[in-house]
């Protein structure tokens, strides 16, 4: 019998801002092995798919006050299409954090 190694997948939700975050952090070598360097924006076909997908979502959604979350967003290639359309995304939040020179306080070091 071939056993598959499993890992915990626990989520925490901030009661104040509703941020959802994984509690368990795996070493990057466990997740990706060695030599992993894929960025979705480097793939023209994948980047074009992201644009078409975002265009479809934008077309069928009402405008104003929209927020989008993409789990596992890699380098934010799909999110950028929502960002330029005025939606709140991780990209727009990160830009605001960097502009304010916000220094987050972590309860533990993440490497």
């Amino acid at each position: 019998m071939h056993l598959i190694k499993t890992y915990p997948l626990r989520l925490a939700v901030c009661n104040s801002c509703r941020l959802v975050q994984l509690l368990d952090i795996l070493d990057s070598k466990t997740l990706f092995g060695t030599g992993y360097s894929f960025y979705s924006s480097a793939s023209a076909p994948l980047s074009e798919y992201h644009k078409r997908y975002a265009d479809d979502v934008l077309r069928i959604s009402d405008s104003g006050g929209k927020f989008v979350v993409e789990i596992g967003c890699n380098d934010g290639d799909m999110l950028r299409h929502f960002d330029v359309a005025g939606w709140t995304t991780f990209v727009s939040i990160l830009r605001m954090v960097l502009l304010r020179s916000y220094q987050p306080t972590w309860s533990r070091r993440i490497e």
Side-chain angles (χ1 to χ4, degrees):
M1 177 195 299
H2 179 71
L3 296 177
I4 298 173
K5 182 133 173 95
T6 61
Y7 300 92
L9 183 62
R10 298 179 302 152
L11 295 176
V13 179
C14 175
N15 289 328
S16 176
C17 71
R18 311 311 292 168
L19 171 75
V20 178
Q21 183 171 316
L22 291 172
L23 290 175
D24 303 292
I25 299 170
L26 296 178
D27 180 88
S28 62
K29 288 180 184 173
T30 301
L31 291 173
F32 306 111
T34 58
Y36 180 84
S37 62
F38 177 77
Y39 295 98
S40 54
S41 62
S43 167
L46 184 55
S47 193
E48 180 55 34
Y49 167 79
H50 288 156
K51 180 178 181 349
R52 287 192 318 269
Y53 181 86
D55 288 345
D56 287 346
V57 171
L58 292 166
R59 183 177 38 76
I60 63 173
S61 299
D62 325 358
S63 59
K66 295 296 183 174
F67 180 76
V68 64
V69 174
E70 181 192 0
I71 305 299
C73 67
N74 194 273
D75 63 353
D77 186 54
M78 183 163 36
L79 290 176
R80 70 187 169 102
H81 302 292
F82 292 98
D83 188 52
V84 297
W87 285 34
T88 302
T89 66
F90 175 76
V91 175
S92 54
I93 292 170
L94 181 59
R95 183 181 309 112
M96 185 174 29
V97 166
L98 293 173
L99 287 173
R100 292 181 181 171
S101 298
Y102 174 71
Q103 297 297 317
T105 304
W106 303 102
S107 60
R108 67 182 191 191
R109 185 179 173 150
I110 300 174
E111 295 182 15

